[in-house]
Amino acid sequence: MRLYSMKLNYLTKQFSTVKRWMATTLFCLLAIAFVWQGAFFSNTSAMADTTATLIASKDAGDQVQEKTSKDAGRAKNFIQDTTDKVKEAAKSNASKVDQATDDDSVVERKAKKDAATIEKRANEDSARTQKAVDNTKNVVERAVDNIKDAFGK
């Protein structure tokens, strides 16, 4: 009877392993099928339209440049808000450590030093990111100007 139980246990484990592999394979095949189908039924509105040349109009170029300037301003505001929140969090954490420790302890000094480092890096990262936003905006504006010049002549 024990031998029968061992064989049954062995077969059950093998069957469980086979089921797991089959389920994994089926899941992968379904995922591939959904991705594949998504490519065939995607929105094709991004394809070139032969009837309208929107980018060639000067108004469209001006609109793109105006939108780019607005978006850059929003991005800079977001970057500055994020920088301020990081600084606030660093100060708050240092303050909590200060309240939880004795006067002028090693941990408190370390927390204050870390907060200062975090604030410094936040300022540096913010400046670098804002410069990248400006560079991107300038590239887009130059590209639009070049396109307007090409169609204007």
Side-chain angles (χ1 to χ4, degrees):
M1 188 68 153
R2 182 163 173 91
L3 181 63
Y4 177 74
S5 174
M6 288 175 44
K7 285 184 180 182
L8 185 61
N9 192 15
Y10 174 77
L11 288 174
T12 305
K13 285 182 182 179
Q14 292 297 323
F15 186 65
S16 176
T17 304
V18 169
K19 285 193 318 187
R20 193 176 317 123
W21 277 104
M22 287 175 60
T24 303
T25 304
L26 181 63
F27 178 76
C28 290
L29 288 174
L30 286 174
I32 290 169
F34 282 126
V35 169
W36 191 311
Q37 285 294 83
F40 288 117
F41 294 117
S42 65
N43 186 2
T44 57
S45 64
M47 290 184 181
D49 187 5
T50 57
T51 60
T53 313
L54 178 64
I55 200 165
S57 79
K58 289 192 179 207
D59 291 338
D62 293 339
Q63 289 173 357
V64 168
Q65 286 177 331
E66 184 179 313
K67 185 172 180 347
T68 303
S69 294
K70 285 181 184 177
D71 289 346
R74 277 191 236 124
K76 284 183 174 183
N77 289 341
F78 175 75
I79 293 165
Q80 193 59 46
D81 289 345
T82 304
T83 302
D84 292 342
K85 287 179 184 177
V86 168
K87 288 180 183 180
E88 285 177 31
K91 286 179 184 177
S92 172
N93 289 341
S95 174
K96 289 176 185 175
V97 170
D98 183 29
Q99 291 172 358
T101 58
D102 295 333
D103 290 336
D104 202 33
S105 70
V106 175
V107 175
E108 182 181 340
R109 286 192 303 264
K110 174 76 170 130
K112 287 180 181 178
K113 183 180 173 188
D114 288 348
T117 303
I118 289 170
E119 289 180 36
K120 178 184 167 204
R121 287 187 181 162
N123 287 332
E124 292 169 354
D125 291 345
S126 174
R128 222 178 9 251
T129 306
Q130 288 182 7
K131 184 178 178 184
V133 167
D134 287 337
N135 290 342
T136 303
K137 181 184 87 160
N138 292 338
V139 166
V140 169
E141 286 179 351
R142 273 186 268 138
V144 170
D145 285 339
N146 290 339
I147 290 170
K148 284 184 350 186
D149 289 344
F151 284 106
K153 292 180 182 177

